[in-house]
């Protein structure tokens, strides 16, 4: 691992490669519920643009979380093709998929999923340890990430000593630690008050604009929807509408 993982060295969106960071083509997914097959995704086509803020909308059961899980290489489609960061992930064996996911995909969880016995610094450092980063590399990158999310003065605090918004900031820094191509979040502001949620959204918007990282969320939060570049509306496993930069495309 080299210093190229540093977020501050990432190319700005204006000069970055503009190929889509992810593509789903004719993707289908069915789950077995006892003796009943439930078709959750029914042949969707989705493009996640590079350095854009994409939101999936839809009622419960519309397929939002299933799509995020497939984009995050946690689940695989029954049929169709999924490309993430230029790779056909549905065809990868599990061991290769695990390495690919760790290198290219960041996750932000509703409940933060921080390790309670580790400080903010150590939580951000943890994926770098798993990646084999040297102490020197970790010592340069972790403080930069904490500074980027406004928590340079909270590095030694345990999660239990942080507010909800501060814990979400640590989770964002951790998600960015390996400079992923895409960051995935399922309802990232659901457990935050409106003011804190707005601050977190502004932070993630800055990461998109300044560092060329793509974010894709599921959300019902009007403020998240307002902040999106692309909005994809789902119902019953099908795409109903797609809006890009304020214009309806489908």
């Amino acid at each position: 691992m080299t210093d190229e993982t540093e977020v501050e060295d990432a190319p700005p969106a204006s000069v970055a490669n503009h190929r889509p960071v992810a593509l789903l083509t004719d993707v289908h997914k069915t789950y077995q519920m006892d003796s009943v097959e439930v078709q959750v995704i029914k042949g969707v086509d989705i493009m996640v643009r590079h350095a854009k803020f994409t939101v999936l909308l839809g009622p419960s059961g519309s397929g939002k979380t299933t799509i995020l899980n497939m984009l995050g290489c946690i689940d695989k489609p029954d049929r169709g093709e999924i490309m993430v960061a230029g790779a056909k992930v549905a065809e990868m064996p599990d061991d290769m998929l695990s390495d690919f996911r760790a290198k290219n995909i960041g996750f932000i969880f509703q409940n933060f999923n921080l390790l309670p016995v580790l400080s903010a610094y150590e939580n951000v450092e943890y994926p770098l340890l798993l990646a084999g980063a040297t102490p020197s590399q970790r010592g340069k990158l972790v403080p930069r990430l904490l500074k980027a999310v406004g928590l340079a003065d909270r590095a030694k605090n345990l999660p239990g000593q942080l507010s909800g918004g501060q814990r979400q900031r640590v989770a964002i820094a951790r998600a960015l630690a390996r400079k992923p191509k895409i960051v995935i979040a399922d309802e990232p502001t659901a457990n935050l008050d409106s003011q804190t949620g707005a601050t977190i959204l502004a932070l993630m918007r800055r990461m998109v604009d300044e560092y060329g990282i793509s974010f894709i969320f599921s959300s019902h939060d009007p403020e998240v929807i307002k902040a999106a570049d692309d909005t994809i509306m789902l119902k019953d496993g099908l795409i109903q509408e797609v809006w890009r930069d304020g214009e309806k495309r489908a």
Side-chain angles (χ1 to χ4, degrees):
M1 185 166 179
T2 70
D3 286 340
E4 291 178 357
T5 54
E6 295 175 5
V7 168
E8 294 192 0
D9 291 341
S14 59
V15 298
N17 190 330
H18 290 290
R19 289 181 301 173
V21 72
L23 284 169
L24 281 71
T25 305
D26 192 29
V27 168
H28 298 250
K29 184 66 181 179
T30 299
Y31 290 110
Q32 189 75 33
M33 308 290 285
D34 296 323
S35 59
V36 179
E37 285 191 348
V38 179
Q39 193 175 5
V40 181
I41 303 297
K42 304 171 183 177
V44 303
D45 298 299
I46 291 176
M47 176 179 68
V48 181
R49 296 192 290 166
H50 178 86
K52 296 294 182 181
F53 196 115
T54 300
V55 175
L56 299 180
L57 294 178
S60 178
S62 61
K64 302 185 303 296
T65 299
T66 300
I67 286 172
L68 292 181
N69 286 342
M70 290 191 289
L71 279 171
C73 305
I74 295 169
D75 205 350
K76 293 186 177 183
D78 299 324
R79 181 155 51 96
E81 182 175 274
I82 299 178
M83 299 277 291
V84 178
K88 295 182 179 181
V89 295
E91 300 175 6
M92 287 185 184
D94 289 344
D95 55 345
M96 186 182 297
L97 199 59
S98 179
D99 291 340
F100 177 87
R101 181 171 56 239
K103 182 179 179 181
N104 292 284
I105 303 170
F107 294 91
I108 301 171
F109 300 96
Q110 220 181 95
N111 296 316
F112 320 125
N113 282 15
L114 301 178
L115 296 171
V117 297
L118 299 184
S119 67
Y121 185 103
E122 291 165 336
N123 267 284
V124 176
E125 182 184 39
Y126 188 64
L128 298 171
L129 281 167
L130 295 178
T134 66
S136 173
Q137 290 166 340
R138 301 196 306 272
K140 290 178 182 178
L141 181 54
V142 175
R144 291 184 184 186
L145 286 164
L146 289 172
K147 181 180 178 182
V149 299
L151 288 178
D153 60 341
R154 294 284 187 267
K156 295 182 180 179
N157 288 66
L158 297 173
Q161 298 168 323
L162 300 172
S163 69
Q166 289 170 334
R167 279 178 276 173
Q168 191 65 292
R169 287 170 180 263
V170 175
I172 292 168
R174 180 184 60 188
L176 298 176
R178 295 191 67 179
K179 203 179 76 174
K181 303 295 189 302
I182 185 170
V183 174
I184 294 172
D186 197 356
E187 298 276 3
T189 60
N191 292 331
L192 304 175
D193 63 72
S194 58
Q195 184 175 352
T196 303
T199 302
I200 293 299
L201 277 177
L203 171 62
M204 291 189 284
R205 176 82 257 178
R206 181 164 65 86
M207 296 300 170
V208 170
D209 293 340
E210 293 185 12
Y211 303 129
I213 296 170
S214 300
F215 282 73
I216 182 166
F217 302 155
S218 67
S219 184
H220 295 98
D221 185 339
E223 295 304 314
V224 175
I225 298 163
K226 193 186 301 183
D229 297 302
D230 295 352
T231 303
I232 300 168
M233 300 183 180
L234 294 158
K235 185 178 180 181
D236 299 328
L238 294 167
I239 293 175
Q240 303 297 305
E241 292 182 359
V242 176
W243 291 76
R244 299 197 188 281
D245 299 322
E247 296 183 2
K248 188 174 179 179
R249 300 297 178 92

